[in-house]
Amino acid sequence: MENKRINKVGWQSPSNIALVKYWGKRSKQLPQNPSVSFTLSECRSETYVSYEEDDRFGFRFFFEGKENPAFGAKIEKFLLDNKNSFPFLDTLSLTVESRNTFPHSSGIASSASSMSAFVMCLMEIANQIVGKRFDLQTASYFSRLASGSAARSVFPKMALWGATPCFEGSSDEYAVSLANDIHPVFKTYRDSILIVSGETKSVSSRAGHALMEGNPYAPARYAQANENIKTLLAALKSGDLDTFINITESEALQLHALMMCSHPSYILMKPNTLNLINEIREFREETKIPLCFTLDAGPNVHLLYPEREAEKVEYYIRNVLVDYCDHDRWIADHVGDGPKKLM
Ligand code: PMV
């Protein structure tokens, strides 16, 4: 029998946390408004893809050592939807092995990290098979098609996804790097993720995006997001922490307000989400430490602060905030450098 060519590639890619939120999409995974995020570091996916020549396309997906067709279905669908871009897949069998560095039940969305890690592997395979060199813009474009917010995970430090007149080169099709357009204070920012609940959310992000279509506040929201992008980009550049805090907290609350006034309405915050928000605001008032919160589409609270405040804030987390966390759980993360090749 002829020897089959077997090869393996591996990439890790981080999760990201949005400051101006992407909430609402149109047509083929295009955003209704631009969004900006910090690229994280400790919360990431590590993905390996083995491929071998075959007479047709084959696909198997293993998550944390166990075959998991349900998790793999989204990637397989992405590959089938985009097979014209990767014609060499017609005669390849892929085996994907993926794991997350953050605990399974931490309520941290893993689609941004897992989809961008997979896309980086796919770009690497394209490089090995057809000699197609890839850039981060292409990786961001395909990550976006796999899972919207994943478009932002491929860039170090910070990324902007969505066209805005305030940033040349920005696009709805892919994210762009903000690493050279931010004040040094943001390059080492901390994100302590306070785990209020590790349960799976009752309404998926996918359903949440879809509900924006009938939301009476949608046009006002998209206008406001565009304004917030403009103000935030300026604050990121100058290092204006007061404006950063104002916009970031308002965006988090707006995201959840949109859920509360969609039809049907729903609430993803838990009582301890609000308790943490109140504690954080009081602590900021008392100490003048410029920390603030943001929320993803879930109950957990992301506590954002400059690295220089880390000692004081972490003391405060351990002594006060953990009381509101599920089994005292929190994850110490910080702004990171984007995807990394593993092999
Ligand atoms: O990429 P999705 O479809 O999981 O949507 C992400 C939506 C938010 O996390 C709530 C906001 C964002 O911009 O990441």
Side-chain angles (χ1 to χ4, degrees):
M1 209 176 105
E2 198 189 324
N3 272 350
K4 288 183 171 179
R5 191 163 64 143
I6 302 183
N7 216 336
K8 191 170 179 176
V9 299
W11 277 84
Q12 65 174 43
S13 186
S15 187
N16 67 75
I17 180 70
L19 304 169
V20 172
K21 311 290 182 180
Y22 148 59
W23 200 239
K25 56 173 126 179
R26 61 190 169 83
S27 119
K28 246 185 134 190
Q29 201 94 297
L30 294 170
Q32 289 282 12
N33 63 262
S35 55
V36 159
S37 59
F38 278 133
T39 300
L40 296 179
S41 175
E42 301 308 308
C43 291
R44 57 182 189 269
S45 298
E46 295 172 352
T47 302
Y48 294 89
V49 183
S50 313
Y51 62 93
E52 61 180 281
E53 289 168 3
D54 212 335
D55 41 16
R56 70 178 98 108
F57 172 64
F59 183 83
R60 293 181 76 185
F61 184 87
F62 293 78
F63 183 68
E64 294 181 350
K66 273 206 202 130
E67 185 149 24
N68 193 324
F71 278 21
K74 203 173 164 190
I75 295 188
E76 197 173 355
K77 182 177 181 308
F78 157 75
L79 289 174
L80 294 172
D81 286 351
N82 292 285
K83 67 178 196 257
N84 290 345
S85 304
F86 307 101
F88 56 85
L89 287 178
D90 280 346
T91 51
L92 282 192
S93 255
L94 307 184
T95 304
V96 184
E97 298 159 85
S98 193
R99 63 176 286 272
N100 293 337
T101 55
F102 43 101
H104 197 35
S105 59
S106 60
I108 310 286
S110 62
S111 64
S113 56
S114 60
M115 290 302 176
S116 56
F118 175 77
V119 167
M120 294 305 287
C121 290
L122 184 62
M123 301 285 106
E124 185 83 39
I125 294 173
N127 186 13
Q128 292 184 0
I129 293 192
V130 288
K132 202 167 163 180
R133 292 195 65 80
F134 67 95
D135 51 25
L136 290 182
Q137 185 172 307
T138 312
S140 176
Y141 170 86
F142 285 108
S143 297
R144 176 206 113 223
L145 289 170
S147 172
S149 58
R152 298 185 309 241
S153 272
V154 305
F155 294 101
K157 311 296 181 196
M158 295 196 81
L160 162 71
W161 170 38
T164 165
C166 329
F167 198 90
E168 215 188 300
S170 59
S171 168
D172 283 348
E173 304 270 345
Y174 46 81
V176 292
S177 174
L178 287 181
N180 295 327
D181 295 272
I182 57 174
H183 188 276
V185 69
F186 296 115
K187 295 188 179 174
T188 55
Y189 233 63
R190 298 289 178 120
D191 177 9
S192 296
I193 309 167
L194 309 167
I195 311 296
V196 169
S197 165
E199 285 169 26
T200 335
K201 353 178 225 199
S202 53
V203 180
S204 67
S205 286
R206 191 192 180 156
H209 285 292
L211 284 171
M212 281 301 281
E213 273 163 44
N215 191 314
Y217 298 94
R221 158 63 194 160
Y222 302 142
Q224 166 99 91
N226 275 288
E227 271 306 300
N228 283 347
I229 281 283
K230 190 172 157 196
T231 316
L232 184 69
L233 287 179
L236 290 173
K237 196 154 208 170
S238 65
D240 174 354
L241 293 185
D242 288 341
T243 305
F244 172 85
I245 290 170
N246 270 332
I247 301 283
T248 299
E249 293 195 346
S250 164
E251 276 285 323
L253 296 176
Q254 228 177 85
L255 170 69
H256 285 259
L258 289 164
M259 297 172 192
M260 289 187 227
C261 59
S262 61
H263 294 286
S265 61
Y266 61 106
I267 303 175
L268 294 184
M269 289 191 284
K270 301 271 185 206
N272 276 342
T273 311
L274 292 179
N275 287 331
L276 282 166
I277 288 174
N278 289 334
E279 283 283 359
I280 291 163
R281 287 188 158 176
E282 262 174 46
F283 183 74
R284 180 169 70 228
E285 192 58 40
E286 273 166 29
T287 62
K288 307 293 174 213
I289 294 175
L291 79 182
C292 69
F293 68 85
T294 188
L295 306 167
D296 217 329
N300 301 325
V301 176
H302 290 247
L303 185 60
L304 304 172
Y305 49 94
E307 186 183 36
R308 61 171 188 258
E309 309 288 358
E311 204 178 314
K312 280 183 236 156
V313 176
E314 287 180 10
Y315 181 84
Y316 167 61
I317 294 172
R318 287 199 176 86
N319 286 283
V320 178
L321 298 185
V322 287
D323 287 351
Y324 301 102
C325 297
D326 181 29
H327 295 91
D328 291 357
R329 284 196 300 149
W330 64 286
I331 300 173
D333 211 336
H334 54 89
V335 168
D337 292 325
K340 197 174 130 207
K341 191 169 166 164
L342 297 171
M343 64 181 292

